[in-house]
Amino acid sequence: MRTTTITLISSAILCLVSCGGGGGGSSSGNDLSNLSYPAASVVLAVAVPLTPLAPSVQGPATSWSIEPTLPEGLAFDTTNGTLSGAASVVSPATEYTVTARSTKGSLAIALRLGVERPTRLLLLPDASDGSSSLLGLDAQTGALTRVGSQSMVEGTSKLVALVTHRDHAWALSTDPAEITPVHVDSITGLTTLGASLSAGTAPRACAVRADGKFLYVLDAGGAAILSYAVDAENGALTELGSTPTAADPLALALDPQGSYVFVASAADKKIVSFAIDAETGALSSKNELVLDETPAGLAVAPDGEQVATLLPLTESVLAIDVERSEGVLTALNQRSAGAVPTGLAYHPGGRALYVLKGDQALVVVYPIAAADGSLEPALGNYDTSAGPQEISFDPAGHFAFIACKAGNAVDVLAVDPVGLEPSLLAALTARGLPLLPATFQG
């Protein structure tokens, strides 16, 4: 049984992770019951106001309290339990206890709250060369301001992917196959390139561990995962070694909790979990799930308890359970994804999976079952520009970004904080061939 924890993760925009945020019951003689908040996950950013978050409770609550002390800038109303304000400092995710009291008893509920830095820039990498367009992003409205275009690699190299973590970025390229640290000035958008390292023979994807300590590159040519240590000060990389994968690896994804790397391979039609050594970054193969057809694309749920993959032959998407201690993979259920499913990503709140329909210019939203993480029937189909290929979110989950290669466009969509339905805000014309957009907090 999968437990749903009520969390508040501060990045200033309300974002519901489950219907109603879990509730307190009532003991005999207590006149308070069914205490809940409307959000199981709220994401805020420093200096961005929190939409007031008011609880509901049955019974005559006369006073409220919260422990421990909230991050500076956030307020808690002791007369009605409402959270409000704008956090002024970054704060790690912390569990808070909210208690409602009456003359006959009390009732408590747990809330998890943290404060993130706001996203400052949206980076739009171009696969046709080694550059990236940079746009300022308003964390409240999603409004974009063009900052400029900067080179992400040396010479005539072609970008394969661009990944970011906090104030660091790394560009994966071919001709030659290299991984390059990139310092991005969050005010001017100017870039400074660090020392490049070899990225094998045919790099296909890269990802950085959630704590920013290690970076991994999937080398399809060498059928291996290349590991690098990341310098926390400047993002510089140090080679750590390689770990073999099955033949013809197609996709790589990291567990947001930092415990596993997952690889989908074509030759053996399987997905393999690799455990990450938290101290050294070394990988060790743990378990695998053999499929009936070749997978395409991977996404990992925010809590690391599920992986999803696309199955183009049957035009479907498959949800997979991840046993946390040993990385055992077990198929949960499969849903129709329509013709030519091309990309997928979990919402940062973990409440839904978004799947792109490449030939129909649509994104499909599948709610996640709270009980076991399986996929529920699709919530709906929502319009995109032509040829959507890859999708990502800002850390708050308030905006989605879709690279539409057929239309040479990048879509920016607002995500409804309650229903999670996406709606198109802007379709940006790309200079060349757009890759998966990346956000930069700076």
Side-chain angles (χ1 to χ4, degrees):
M1 179 68 68
R2 182 166 172 263
T3 301
T4 300
T5 303
I6 299 185
T7 57
L8 283 170
I9 300 178
S10 188
S11 278
I13 299 154
L14 187 82
C15 159
L16 299 180
V17 171
S18 67
C19 294
S26 178
S27 58
S28 177
N30 190 352
D31 56 354
L32 299 178
S33 64
N34 299 325
L35 171 60
S36 66
Y37 277 85
S41 177
V42 175
V43 185
L44 300 175
V46 169
V48 181
L50 165 66
T51 300
L53 191 66
S56 64
V57 64
Q58 292 183 357
T62 56
S63 66
W64 298 74
S65 64
I66 188 168
E67 293 180 339
T69 302
L70 288 168
E72 185 178 343
L74 294 178
F76 182 80
D77 192 324
T78 57
T79 65
N80 57 29
T82 298
L83 284 161
S84 61
S88 58
V89 294
V90 172
S91 176
T94 303
E95 185 172 284
Y96 294 80
T97 300
V98 175
T99 303
R101 293 181 173 83
S102 72
T103 57
K104 294 185 178 180
S106 63
L107 196 59
I109 192 171
L111 297 173
R112 191 169 176 80
L113 187 149
V115 181
E116 296 272 345
R117 287 183 289 182
T119 297
R120 296 183 182 276
L121 294 174
L122 179 64
L123 281 63
L124 309 180
D126 184 352
S128 65
D129 58 19
S131 69
S132 177
S133 296
L134 289 84
L135 298 101
L137 176 67
D138 188 303
Q140 289 181 272
T141 67
L144 297 168
T145 304
R146 190 169 292 277
V147 176
S149 177
Q150 292 289 315
S151 176
M152 295 290 156
V153 293
E154 296 283 1
T156 58
S157 294
K158 302 295 190 294
L159 276 176
V160 175
L162 183 69
V163 296
T164 60
H165 181 271
R166 299 294 186 185
D167 50 2
H168 300 315
W170 299 269
L172 183 65
S173 60
T174 58
D175 303 321
E178 293 180 332
I179 182 75
T180 304
V182 182
H183 172 73
V184 182
D185 187 298
S186 62
I187 304 299
T188 66
L190 296 176
T191 59
T192 304
L193 306 185
S196 300
L197 295 179
S198 172
T201 58
R204 183 163 282 169
C206 62
V208 63
R209 194 169 183 258
D211 60 5
K213 292 176 61 176
F214 306 108
L215 183 142
Y216 300 93
V217 169
L218 183 63
D219 177 19
I225 306 169
L226 310 181
S227 303
Y228 306 82
V230 177
D231 187 301
E233 293 297 321
N234 56 24
L237 301 174
T238 302
E239 294 178 346
L240 296 177
S242 65
T243 305
T245 68
D248 196 11
L250 296 170
L252 171 145
L254 261 66
D255 163 21
Q257 300 301 312
S259 299
Y260 294 100
V261 172
F262 302 94
V263 173
S265 299
D268 297 326
K269 299 178 182 178
K270 65 183 180 183
I271 296 172
V272 180
S273 62
F274 297 83
I276 303 174
D277 186 295
E279 297 300 322
T280 67
L283 302 179
S284 57
S285 179
K286 298 298 289 183
N287 283 280
E288 63 182 46
L289 176 65
V290 179
L291 306 173
D292 294 331
E293 61 177 285
T294 301
L298 285 174
V300 187
D303 61 8
E305 294 186 7
Q306 289 82 38
V307 172
T309 189
L310 299 175
L311 301 175
L313 184 63
T314 55
E315 299 179 347
S316 61
V317 57
L318 174 68
I320 300 165
D321 179 74
V322 180
E323 189 277 321
R324 296 298 298 166
S325 63
E326 293 296 328
V328 176
L329 305 174
T330 306
L332 286 170
N333 72 328
Q334 201 167 322
R335 294 285 182 186
S336 172
V340 196
T342 52
L344 74 171
Y346 280 94
H347 185 271
R351 225 181 113 203
L353 177 73
Y354 292 66
V355 175
L356 303 177
K357 290 185 177 182
D359 68 333
Q360 299 178 48
L362 294 171
V363 57
V364 189
V365 181
Y366 298 89
I368 306 301
D372 62 1
S374 61
L375 302 177
E376 295 183 347
L379 181 67
N381 296 269
Y382 305 90
D383 292 336
T384 71
S385 295
Q389 295 289 316
E390 299 180 279
I391 179 171
S392 62
F393 293 89
D394 74 302
H398 193 62
F399 305 106
F401 311 104
I402 299 177
C404 302
K405 296 182 180 179
N408 280 356
V410 174
D411 287 353
V412 180
L413 300 92
V415 180
D416 185 272
V418 177
L420 298 184
E421 300 95 340
S423 58
L424 189 63
L425 283 179
L428 309 173
T429 301
R431 293 187 303 107
L433 192 62
L435 294 169
L436 181 68
T439 56
F440 184 80
Q441 292 174 287

